[in-house]
Amino acid sequence: MYLERISSPADVRALPASAIPALCAEIRTAIIESSARVGGHVGPNLGVVELTVALHRVFDSPADKLVFDVSHQTYAHKMLTGRARAFLDPALMDSVSGFSSPRESEHDHFAMGHTSTSVSLAVGLAKARDLAGGTNRIVAVIGDGSLSGGLAFEGLDNAAELGSGLIIVVNDNEWSISEDHGGIYGGLSRLRKSRGTSPDNLFRAMGLDYRYLEEGNDEAAVEAALLELRDTSRPVVLHVHTTKGLGFAPALADEESWHHVGPFDPKTGERRGRGHSGGIVATEPATYADITGEHLMARMRADRSVVTISSATPYMMGFTPERRRAAGTQFVDVGIAEEHAVTFATGLAAGGAKPVWGVYGTFLQRTYDQLWHDLCLNAKPATILVFGSSAFGTTDATHLGFYDIAMLGDMPGLTYLAPTCREEYLAMLDWAIDWREGPVAIRVPGAGVVSRPGVRLPEAGFADGAPEIVRKAGADGPDATTTPEVTILALGSFLPLGEQVADELAGRGVAVELVNPRYACGLSEVYVQGLSGRRVVVTLEDGVLEGGFGERVARQLGTADARVRCYGLPHGFPDRYEPEELLASCDLTAPAISRDVMKLLSR
């Protein structure tokens, strides 16, 4: 076995050419078997095995710097740079992340999990090299849909003026996360069909040299092309045609769903269940993706002005290929371009349409300016569905989604709603689509689907900032009259935690009120001032504490006598954490919160 003897790229270069096919086969097997245990980006990584081996045989990393875009394509790179055992030995899997990380290796130059960055990073490295009089080589690897991101265009535009050696490898596997969208991919298709001779060549039009290679999964061919370009004195694009999912039949048969998967059977591809409910009992359908896709399809059938927008992640909203086809022109995938999605939605709303854009919370910050300057400044009625913003979302430091409340709280005129259950979510979604006074965002619960058939929904909608009183002091129902000593404001998916705390405090004889705030970025002043007579006010949120919901409530109660205790997630970059452990470290458990409240009451 070759792979287990690879400790650095020098070992890869030392292998005879005759050994390379066997090495590539071993890498593929390691990708499949390691991903089968914990999940991962299977399709993208299988497609770049030969390209990665060729890069490490031609260039001398880390002196020569290889910058991989979005990290969807780094598994083989990690194996060839001293981390192979993490993919071969299940006991060592936690020693590496699924993304590029300088903390792991000198061969990873940046921590990154978001897309379209590699060209700009590589241009910066090349410029710094030139200023220092260096001679090392810089290579950017971009692809798997990343060219649709605006930053990729900016990087290519600036690269054309660099005036020194830079290689930009465009890994063209004909896919993004789902199918490609946008004019650039039509141009790439024409280049593929013409073997790079089409006059419709974006890269040449921008002033870059260009070469096409059809045999992107032939290591010898890729190696020869890279050798020819290795010492280029100008920025050059090497357009390489690869096959996403190569070497694993299930991934070849369904490129979209095998872009990233959970655990599976490495022989059959059958998916295995994984995850936890965070103490919440799930209902059917099993995910908010299913619920959202079904509901929006019904709204679009009834109203031609409703338009659903995706930024290359349609599955997140339940828009399967079948639903996308059925939606027709009322569904728009803008590619990996969150900035355009927001401004596009603003234009749609200005034209009388009712846009609904779904986005993972971790990608929301990529469009801060457009949210502020285009959507909110113009007060246009667009709906944003924010998915995965939770401690129970993606746990890699590159993909943390729980900074959304602090960020969206800065947006003037934006209503940010936090439903607690399926019934409330659908009511908020319907209200937001029809609300014409400004933009609305909805924080889709991230800890599982729950049902509250008895939830009291406001007849007049969600414009007034009024919360739901779930339990008044002295009784389980909302109609008790005992004056509460403690009010618990349990935001969104933390309502079950609030119920546990309320039960524990009531069991200790405390008159406690439980409230579903509904509004993630601030409650009405009238309601909050009514809390001034409480001895203790507790806020619970599944988001970062600094700048979050609780701190806004505490500020509103700053002149009151009530003691305010805020619970939320830590400010920082926790990496590959266990959600329950993270919550416990923040005292986000019913026993810890109850203990704190009893101490406050005793003072």
Side-chain angles (χ1 to χ4, degrees):
M1 186 173 183
Y2 295 105
L3 185 56
E4 64 185 9
R5 301 200 300 267
I6 299 293
S7 61
S8 74
D11 296 327
V12 183
R13 292 193 294 274
L15 289 174
S18 60
I20 298 305
L23 174 63
C24 291
E26 291 174 12
I27 292 172
R28 276 203 169 80
T29 298
I31 290 172
I32 294 168
E33 292 184 351
S34 62
S35 298
R37 287 188 284 269
V38 297
H41 287 92
V42 176
N45 281 290
L46 289 174
V48 296
V49 172
E50 289 80 13
L51 171 59
T52 308
V53 172
L55 284 166
H56 280 295
R57 282 175 66 81
V58 171
F59 297 98
D60 181 17
S61 178
D64 293 337
K65 302 191 183 304
L66 309 179
V67 184
F68 289 85
D69 202 275
V70 84
S71 301
H72 286 174
Q73 305 154 94
T74 59
Y75 292 4
H77 165 73
K78 286 175 180 264
M79 293 184 209
L80 300 177
T81 53
R83 290 167 279 181
R85 290 187 63 197
F87 293 84
L88 298 172
D89 184 349
L92 298 175
M93 290 194 69
D94 289 340
S95 65
V96 300
S97 75
F99 301 92
S100 176
S101 173
R103 289 179 293 179
E104 282 182 13
S105 172
E106 62 180 348
H107 299 277
D108 293 0
H109 304 290
F110 302 96
M112 58 181 142
H114 292 187
T115 188
S116 310
T117 62
S118 63
V119 177
S120 294
L121 291 169
V123 172
L125 286 171
K127 185 66 173 180
R129 172 203 62 196
D130 297 344
L131 291 171
T135 59
N136 61 317
R137 305 170 183 94
I138 312 293
V139 182
V141 181
I142 190 167
D144 202 48
S146 298
L147 282 174
S148 60
L151 185 59
F153 288 88
E154 296 176 28
L156 290 168
D157 187 53
N158 190 225
E161 289 194 345
L162 181 64
S164 63
L166 171 67
I167 299 172
I168 301 167
V169 178
V170 173
N171 166 37
D172 181 3
N173 61 20
E174 302 186 41
W175 281 85
S176 180
I177 298 170
S178 57
E179 66 273 3
D180 285 328
H181 289 279
I184 188 173
Y185 293 108
L188 290 182
S189 176
R190 290 184 285 274
L191 285 168
R192 289 195 305 269
K193 291 175 181 177
S194 67
R195 299 295 181 98
T197 63
S198 170
D200 180 15
N201 189 317
L202 169 70
F203 307 107
R204 290 193 186 280
M206 296 184 79
L208 296 161
D209 287 350
Y210 173 86
R211 174 167 176 180
Y212 179 77
L213 179 65
E214 174 64 23
E215 302 83 5
N217 292 110
D218 180 334
E219 193 280 335
V222 180
E223 189 174 328
L226 289 171
L227 278 169
E228 183 178 330
L229 299 176
R230 180 172 60 180
D231 293 314
T232 179
S233 60
R234 287 177 41 79
V236 59
V237 169
L238 175 61
H239 179 185
V240 179
H241 187 199
T242 63
T243 300
K244 191 167 186 171
L246 185 66
F248 191 50
L252 285 171
D254 186 358
E255 293 95 334
E256 179 174 332
S257 69
W258 282 90
H259 174 82
H260 182 275
V261 295
F264 59 92
D265 186 316
K267 295 181 180 179
T268 66
E270 182 180 356
R271 309 296 175 87
R272 294 169 176 162
R274 184 182 70 159
H276 43 73
S277 64
I280 296 173
V281 178
T283 64
E284 295 295 336
T287 69
Y288 276 105
D290 300 329
I291 294 168
T292 304
E294 179 181 309
H295 195 74
L296 286 176
M297 285 298 298
R299 286 298 309 251
M300 289 191 291
R301 283 192 294 267
D303 185 348
R304 286 281 300 167
S305 68
V306 177
V307 179
T308 298
I309 305 167
S310 170
S311 302
T313 55
Y315 55 85
M316 174 190 62
M317 292 188 289
F319 274 80
T320 61
E322 294 75 21
R323 281 188 177 134
R324 299 198 295 265
R325 286 191 291 270
T329 57
Q330 286 178 265
F331 177 83
V332 181
D333 191 330
V334 300
I336 305 176
E338 291 82 3
E339 301 94 327
H340 170 64
V342 171
T343 304
F344 172 56
T346 303
L348 280 168
K354 298 176 181 178
V356 181
W357 175 50
V359 61
Y360 281 119
T362 185
F363 301 137
L364 192 63
Q365 66 262 28
R366 289 156 53 87
T367 182
Y368 186 95
D369 181 64
Q370 289 72 32
L371 287 166
W372 178 284
H373 188 271
D374 298 337
L375 184 60
C376 292
L377 178 61
N378 289 286
K380 295 305 177 186
T383 301
I384 302 171
L385 303 180
V386 183
F387 289 81
S389 286
S390 168
F392 295 98
T394 306
T395 62
D396 294 271
T398 55
H399 283 71
L400 302 176
F402 47 70
Y403 280 82
D404 57 306
I405 298 174
M407 186 184 81
L408 292 182
D410 286 339
M411 301 292 165
L414 176 70
T415 300
Y416 196 17
L417 301 174
T420 61
C421 60
R422 174 181 179 173
E423 293 83 1
E424 201 167 43
Y425 170 60
L426 293 178
M428 289 176 175
L429 177 53
D430 280 334
W431 176 80
I433 291 173
D434 295 326
W435 177 247
R436 310 315 295 160
E437 302 304 315
V440 179
I442 301 175
R443 195 175 204 251
V444 183
V449 180
V450 297
S451 179
R452 296 176 59 218
V455 62
R456 295 191 174 189
L457 299 171
E459 295 181 3
F462 298 90
D464 62 1
E468 175 200 10
I469 309 302
V470 179
R471 183 191 307 180
K472 287 189 177 180
D476 292 333
D479 301 317
T481 57
T482 303
T483 301
E485 297 176 86
V486 177
T487 290
I488 301 171
L489 301 171
L491 186 69
S493 58
F494 270 13
L495 182 62
L497 175 60
E499 291 174 331
Q500 295 170 24
V501 177
D503 288 342
E504 289 207 15
L505 292 174
R508 300 183 186 189
V510 176
V512 58
E513 175 186 53
L514 178 63
V515 177
N516 163 22
R518 286 183 169 151
Y519 298 83
C521 289
L523 297 168
S524 71
E525 288 286 345
V526 172
Y527 172 75
V528 174
Q529 290 307 313
L531 298 175
S532 60
R534 307 293 191 266
R535 294 180 63 190
V536 176
V537 175
V538 174
T539 68
L540 309 176
E541 60 190 300
D542 191 4
V544 67
L545 194 59
E546 285 83 349
F549 165 77
E551 286 199 351
R552 288 180 169 82
V553 173
R555 175 183 55 78
Q556 288 176 286
L557 284 171
T559 59
D561 292 333
R563 297 177 182 272
V564 183
R565 182 69 164 86
C566 303
Y567 294 86
L569 301 177
H571 190 270
F573 294 104
D575 188 29
R576 292 172 285 160
Y577 60 84
E578 287 296 327
E580 298 288 1
E581 293 178 5
L582 181 67
L583 296 183
S585 72
C586 305
D587 287 338
L588 272 164
T589 66
I593 296 167
S594 300
R595 183 179 62 248
D596 289 348
V597 171
M598 295 306 296
K599 289 180 180 178
L600 290 172
L601 289 173
S602 67
R603 294 178 183 174

